[in-house]
Amino acid sequence: MPRPKRITVPEFTAFKKAGHKISMLTAYDYPTAQLVDEAGVEGILVGDSLSMVVQGRENTLPVTLEEMLYHAEMVGRAVDRALVVVDMPFPSNHLGKYKAIDFAGRILKESRAQAVKLEGGVEQADVIQALVSAGIPVMAHCGLGPQSVHQLGGYRVQRNRLDLLSDAQAATQAGAFAMVLECVPSRLGAEITESIAIPTIGIGAGPSCDGQVLVVSDLLGLTSGYVPKFAKQYANLKGTIVEAVTQYRDEVRDGVFPSDEHGYA
Ligand code: KIV
């Protein structure tokens, strides 16, 4: 049976003009991507946040291209409808245009992803342009760039209005089809959203963005430790999982599981 039609890059960009609010969520594996797609979000991001969320690392810097490809392939295989975007891992988009095309090309060739995302505005405009010229759609990522955590001295709200407006303009003019806007004051999120023709996908950038993105484990209540202020928890799967596993452990210990019902005659 043919698979349903997936949301295309031009359709994704057109949501802004149509006033259709876009929801995006991260996913890193086949079963989660299937569920997120079934729920009907417009975009799924294989974020380099997998470095922290899946691999338990301190920040997003260590994840490699091979690891991103491994997860992107699982997600791409699961998705029937949503647009799939994959993060360029640090520092793959800083090694020159041709290396960036090589890496981004592998992402599109080896997974069913339709686009890549990269952090940066003005200083990444030439790379965005080169990728777009090669037929590789780019989602820009402005505001807080977690890959620059050492340079920034932490994950801080970004307030430099003129720099942020210039970044948004530069990425748009370079050909990005959409833009993640991370950790900027809501009023600035609104101003940037109004100033560009492509959709802004906010994460901690206020309600006026054209869409929102969250890390799936934050939304589902699976994150241990620090959860940023912008993340809303819609379920408590951590509690549900610990409760189920504790019950299983107790039933094994007490000889309640397995009963005849779960055995063979
Ligand atoms: O890696 C990621 O999950 C992201 C989102 C937080 C936007 O870049």
Side-chain angles (χ1 to χ4, degrees):
M1 203 168 71
R3 297 182 81 156
K5 191 178 158 314
R6 292 167 79 193
I7 292 171
T8 65
V9 166
E11 283 166 354
F12 194 90
T13 300
F15 285 140
K16 178 172 182 132
K17 220 172 174 184
H20 175 108
K21 285 271 189 181
I22 300 164
S23 52
M24 271 191 92
L25 208 52
T26 65
Y28 315 105
D29 60 51
Y30 183 87
T32 312
Q34 258 190 334
L35 295 174
V36 168
D37 192 38
E38 193 181 315
V41 298
E42 286 81 15
I44 295 183
L45 172 67
V46 185
D48 60 357
S49 50
L50 74 84
S51 176
M52 300 160 86
V53 173
V54 178
Q55 300 175 323
R57 287 160 165 168
E58 195 184 356
N59 54 47
T60 59
L61 300 183
V63 69
T64 65
L65 178 69
E66 298 305 326
E67 289 166 344
M68 291 302 298
L69 285 167
Y70 175 75
H71 288 273
E73 212 230 322
M74 288 187 272
V75 169
R77 205 176 307 136
V79 173
D80 278 336
R81 181 178 168 273
L83 181 89
V84 176
V85 182
V86 177
D87 259 334
M88 295 281 281
F90 177 80
S92 59
N93 48 307
H94 298 278
L95 303 174
K97 293 187 253 184
Y98 299 109
K99 281 215 160 140
I101 292 171
D102 186 22
F103 291 140
R106 279 197 66 193
I107 290 172
L108 263 56
K109 280 159 78 87
E110 296 178 33
S111 67
R112 291 178 73 240
Q114 294 140 289
V116 298
K117 173 166 84 59
L118 58 84
E119 292 179 15
V122 171
E123 81 292 354
Q124 281 291 302
D126 60 335
V127 177
I128 295 173
Q129 204 163 28
L131 290 170
V132 173
S133 302
I136 300 170
V138 178
M139 178 176 278
H141 182 151
C142 297
L144 173 66
Q147 292 180 359
S148 303
V149 61
H150 297 310
Q151 204 159 34
L152 296 169
Y155 301 108
R156 302 179 198 291
V157 179
Q158 301 298 296
R159 300 180 184 278
N160 192 326
R161 178 174 169 272
L162 291 182
D163 279 358
L164 289 166
L165 285 166
S166 306
D167 282 339
Q169 282 299 337
T172 306
Q173 276 161 21
F177 73 92
M179 177 182 305
V180 164
L181 209 48
E182 179 162 357
C183 266
V184 303
S186 301
R187 278 179 63 176
L188 197 43
E191 189 179 355
I192 294 168
T193 299
E194 267 177 40
S195 74
I196 55 176
I198 59 172
T200 55
I201 312 296
I203 176 158
S208 302
C209 292
D210 300 301
Q212 300 291 326
V213 58
L214 281 177
V215 168
V216 69
S217 19
D218 291 342
L219 177 144
L220 294 177
L222 277 169
T223 307
S224 296
Y226 173 73
V227 177
K229 180 178 190 297
F230 56 66
K232 179 169 177 184
Q233 188 182 316
Y234 286 81
N236 176 18
L237 288 200
K238 195 175 155 194
T240 306
I241 291 170
V242 172
E243 200 179 303
V245 175
T246 306
Q247 194 181 344
Y248 163 72
R249 182 207 62 190
D250 289 347
E251 289 195 1
V252 170
R253 205 176 269 175
D254 299 341
V256 173
F257 177 82
S259 62
D260 288 347
E261 186 194 346
H262 297 103
Y264 300 98

